[in-house]
Amino acid sequence: MLVAAAALVALGQPAGAFEVGIIGFQFTSETHARVANAAAAAAKARGWNVTLLNSEGALPKHAEQFDALIAKKVDAIIIAMGKPVEADAQFKAAKDAKIPVVTVQSGASPHALFDIQSNEYKIGADAALYLLGQLGFQGNILTARFDLNVASRIRGKILDVVLSENQAVKEIGKFSMARTQSWRDDVRAGMQALLLQNQGKVNGIWVSFDGQAYIIDDLLQAQGVKKGQIPMVSVDGGQESYERIADPNSTFMATVSIPFEEMGKQAVDAIQAIAVDKKPKESVTPGPYLFVDAVLVDKNNVQQFLKK
Amino acid sequence: MGRIDPRELIGRYGTAIAGLALILFFLIFAQNFASATNIVNVLKDTSFLAILALGFALAFTVAELDLSVAEMASLAAVVCGWLVHAQYPPAVAVMAALGVGVGLGLLNGYGVTVLRIPSLIMTLGTAAIAKGLAFMITQGVAFVGRWPVGFTGLARGYSFGIPNLVLWMTGATLFAWGLVKWTKTGAHMVATGEADEAARLAGIATARMKRIGLLLAGVFASLMAVLLAANLSSAAPNMAGDYLLYAIAAVLLGMTMFEPGKPNVPGTVFAALVLKVLGNGLVLLGAPYYVQDIVLGAIIIGSVAFSASAMKKAAFKV
């Protein structure tokens, strides 16, 4: 019965319409969901049939879903935060089947059209230099890292480079997050311990992504820390981040905002141009990447980003 | 000739019939479901789950729950990938991976039978150790590369026109089935699982049977890990974690058919196939990912409920 119901839902999609398969690698990561959902919404707005899939962070499942979309003979595939190297066989199979593939924040694949992405090296530099600027290039910082994620790891490595050139700023403690289901609890417990251990010595906090920053912000607020006393900077963006940046009671100072929704929409626009309008790929981007700008958001420009 | 009791027939084959009906449904409604490429893909995908689930089923046969199978597989894959990546001969990497399964399987057996730790607790501990070691070796970064065909061919290759993965699955199935059905050890394992104390009083070395069951779970997990790493040309610390629930689901679903109430080999393999067909078919129908999870959960509950009467009659309760 349920399968039949699912079939009816699926069969309710317009017959003969352009069909796109969208795979998000891990929807429990908000950014993956933001890209995939935005792409799905943009595709539906064009009247396309959409198959939206979540690989749940599992590479074997990711490969299976990719294979199934190829077998389904969809007209195009969009992959959010995929693994072009690990899933090389599937990318190649899609190319052999003449199915155009656009990736987002995944890295380039010789078998895909291109990868839409923000430059994480630049993002890392923007975040690190903003924080050091807030400190006057001297003082002690704590860091909340996530080295199991490529983007977060790059940001952390860039911070290390910046710190190596600015030795008056010292990293006096760091918490490295594991990829667990209970990561929020882990971050809370870990940072609580670091803050206790370094009470009175912390001048700033660097955070690898906004999800961690919300937890640390709550901790700092509970300890009575006021905005600007311990500047905290992070990366990702989103309404929750903007609201905290605008909130005088929050310690969240700035984020480097990556336009995830825009990237999802751009993937659909690119498919429209190349697969539907038959324009050359070079009309969208000449190389393996289509870079999008990430914007540093702080009190000076946050009002532009807040939903009215 | 005794009369066939329809209720018994439904209890024994109801889930299998439902599974076949599901396959028929997708054959009719899911575009390209019956294409050769898709059928091969489904069979290949089934092989990983079936092999892991068979290991879980063998441990379950001796009435022990091995919740470490997926993390053991992840660690074995990481060890295998690590060595292949470091350009050791594939045979060395495969043996090392199998060594991980054997070692952790023996550890589970020792913990359960000698230290008297309940298998649920022991294997959760082993899973945590395996997970930690996998992350320690990789530092969270997957081993990825253009690995030698001598290794990747184990999973990606074909023999006699049949995908190697299907042959591995068939071999694992025949081994497990043969062991349980036609060997003294298998009979002793079944007896241990059904009535531990009675088996012990009858002179069966029940502790040894439990160790064999848990050892085989480790061996099957590491075999699956080797094939998974070879198929994907990569090894990540969490690469098999996703399989645990599906393996349990396959074994429980398998217990509702052929030999209701008992973990059994053909039921487990057929259930693994049904689960993979379901996932594949729903993708082909264009169902969103969350619908797949809802349908999967409902089918598991429904199947078990469907055969509940048979389960109640069986000596081995879920």
Side-chain angles (χ1 to χ4, degrees):
Chain A
M1 287 286 286
L2 272 161
V3 178
L8 284 172
V9 169
L11 294 170
Q13 301 195 100
F18 189 87
E19 191 159 9
V20 63
I22 300 170
I23 307 178
F25 190 69
Q26 188 168 13
F27 273 51
T28 48
S29 173
E30 190 189 317
T31 55
H32 297 213
R34 284 169 63 187
V35 171
N37 289 335
K44 283 175 183 166
R46 289 185 181 275
W48 297 356
N49 287 341
V50 177
T51 300
L52 180 62
L53 302 171
N54 171 17
S55 300
E56 295 175 21
L59 199 54
K61 187 164 189 169
H62 188 61
E64 282 174 28
Q65 291 175 333
F66 211 146
D67 282 333
L69 288 177
I70 295 164
K72 193 173 191 244
K73 296 194 167 91
V74 294
D75 297 301
I77 296 173
I78 294 169
I79 308 279
M81 285 74 168
K83 309 281 180 189
V85 180
E86 291 91 330
D88 184 69
Q90 282 70 32
F91 274 89
K92 186 174 181 306
K95 188 181 183 182
D96 292 345
K98 297 191 167 39
I99 298 171
V101 179
V102 171
T103 59
V104 179
Q105 293 280 79
S106 307
S109 163
H111 312 302
L113 289 173
F114 49 81
D115 184 48
I116 300 172
Q117 81 151 261
S118 51
N119 187 333
E120 286 295 344
Y121 299 90
K122 183 175 177 297
I123 287 168
D126 285 348
L129 291 170
Y130 181 90
L131 180 62
L132 266 63
Q134 292 294 312
L135 303 180
F137 287 82
Q138 59 182 354
N140 300 321
I141 63 167
L142 294 180
T143 63
R145 296 172 180 252
F146 181 30
D147 289 343
L148 302 183
N149 172 274
V150 178
S152 308
R153 188 167 60 244
I154 289 169
R155 296 165 199 166
K157 284 181 176 175
I158 295 294
L159 172 73
D160 293 338
V161 171
V162 170
L163 291 178
S164 72
E165 291 295 325
N166 295 276
Q167 307 228 345
V169 178
K170 297 215 167 8
E171 183 184 25
I172 55 171
K174 70 173 164 189
F175 171 76
S176 292
M177 186 187 114
R179 189 183 273 123
T180 61
Q181 295 293 328
S182 59
W183 66 265
R184 288 176 178 82
D185 291 341
D186 299 346
V187 171
R188 187 179 177 84
M191 289 306 289
Q192 206 160 20
L194 279 181
L195 286 164
L196 194 69
Q197 191 181 30
N198 297 287
Q199 217 164 13
K201 291 188 284 184
V202 183
N203 305 111
I205 300 179
W206 178 94
V207 187
S208 71
F209 69 95
D210 285 0
Q212 292 176 320
Y214 306 153
I215 294 157
I216 299 163
D217 183 30
D218 292 345
L219 270 177
L220 292 172
Q221 284 190 60
Q223 292 177 9
V225 177
K226 299 282 177 262
K227 202 176 199 81
Q229 281 183 335
I230 301 179
M232 181 167 65
V233 64
S234 182
V235 175
D236 269 353
Q239 282 308 302
E240 177 66 21
S241 304
Y242 307 144
E243 282 170 18
R244 285 178 186 252
I245 289 166
D247 180 357
N249 296 316
S250 166
T251 62
F252 202 165
M253 292 283 288
T255 186
V256 184
S257 174
I258 300 170
F260 293 107
E261 286 81 3
E262 184 57 28
M263 288 166 144
K265 187 179 171 300
Q266 280 192 4
V268 171
D269 292 346
I271 297 282
Q272 171 71 34
I274 297 162
V276 180
D277 301 336
K278 306 296 179 192
K279 290 179 182 168
K281 176 230 158 194
E282 288 69 24
S283 68
V284 180
T285 182
Y289 290 104
L290 174 60
F291 283 113
V292 295
D293 286 329
V295 182
L296 193 135
V297 179
D298 69 356
K299 64 181 181 191
N300 298 307
N301 61 349
V302 70
Q303 294 303 330
Q304 299 167 33
F305 292 84
L306 281 168
K307 278 183 183 159
K308 297 290 181 275
Chain B
M1 282 287 289
R3 285 185 60 201
I4 295 168
D5 179 1
R7 281 191 307 174
E8 192 191 328
L9 203 68
I10 286 173
R12 186 175 288 268
Y13 298 110
T15 313
I17 292 164
L20 288 171
L22 189 72
I23 292 169
L24 188 66
F25 176 88
F26 287 129
L27 279 169
I28 296 165
F29 291 103
Q31 202 185 3
N32 300 320
F33 179 79
S35 70
T37 306
N38 192 58
I39 288 169
V40 168
N41 282 344
V42 171
L43 288 173
K44 283 179 171 181
D45 295 343
T46 301
S47 65
F48 304 115
L49 176 59
I51 292 169
L52 193 73
L54 281 171
F56 188 91
L58 289 171
F60 211 17
T61 299
V62 293
E64 299 298 346
L65 274 174
D66 190 342
L67 298 184
S68 65
V69 287
E71 296 300 347
M72 279 197 288
S74 290
L75 176 60
V78 160
V79 168
C80 190
W82 185 21
L83 294 173
V84 172
H85 204 69
Q87 299 188 335
Y88 281 85
V92 172
V94 171
M95 292 310 290
L98 293 174
V100 168
V102 169
L104 293 177
L106 287 172
L107 177 69
N108 281 335
Y110 176 80
V112 169
T113 61
V114 179
L115 303 179
R116 304 277 177 190
I117 302 168
S119 58
L120 195 75
I121 308 297
M122 181 66 209
T123 58
L124 274 176
T126 306
I129 292 167
K131 187 177 178 181
L133 288 172
F135 274 100
M136 186 181 84
I137 292 167
T138 58
Q139 294 295 300
V141 183
F143 294 110
V144 185
R146 298 189 184 283
W147 291 350
V149 176
F151 177 66
T152 58
L154 289 171
R156 291 186 190 170
Y158 283 71
S159 301
F160 317 110
I162 301 167
N164 285 349
L165 281 172
V166 176
L167 293 175
W168 283 110
M169 176 171 63
T170 307
T173 304
L174 291 174
F175 173 83
W177 205 5
L179 173 76
V180 173
K181 286 287 170 194
W182 298 303
T183 69
K184 193 167 123 182
T185 301
H188 285 187
M189 286 171 72
V190 172
T192 300
E194 288 183 353
D196 187 357
E197 190 59 20
R200 196 180 59 79
L201 292 172
I204 293 172
T206 54
R208 186 162 163 264
M209 292 307 120
K210 286 178 182 288
R211 284 198 293 273
I212 289 171
L214 290 162
L215 170 65
L216 287 170
V219 171
F220 275 63
S222 55
L223 171 63
M224 176 266 202
V226 168
L227 297 174
L228 198 59
N231 191 50
L232 294 168
S233 278
S234 66
N238 61 342
M239 77 188 297
D242 191 49
Y243 279 89
L244 178 63
L245 275 178
Y246 285 91
I248 294 171
V251 173
L252 291 182
L253 263 178
M255 286 171 66
T256 67
M257 53 183 119
F258 304 121
E259 295 176 60
K262 297 177 185 175
N264 68 85
V265 171
T268 299
V269 175
F270 187 73
L273 177 66
V274 167
L275 291 172
K276 287 297 172 184
V277 161
L278 183 68
N280 175 265
L282 287 171
V283 170
L284 294 183
L285 285 174
Y289 64 94
Y290 44 84
V291 170
Q292 293 179 37
D293 285 338
I294 293 166
V295 171
L296 177 69
I299 279 181
I300 290 168
I301 293 166
S303 303
V304 176
F306 190 63
S307 296
S309 59
M311 304 282 280
K312 280 178 193 164
K313 289 177 192 168
F316 196 106
K317 304 277 195 301
V318 180

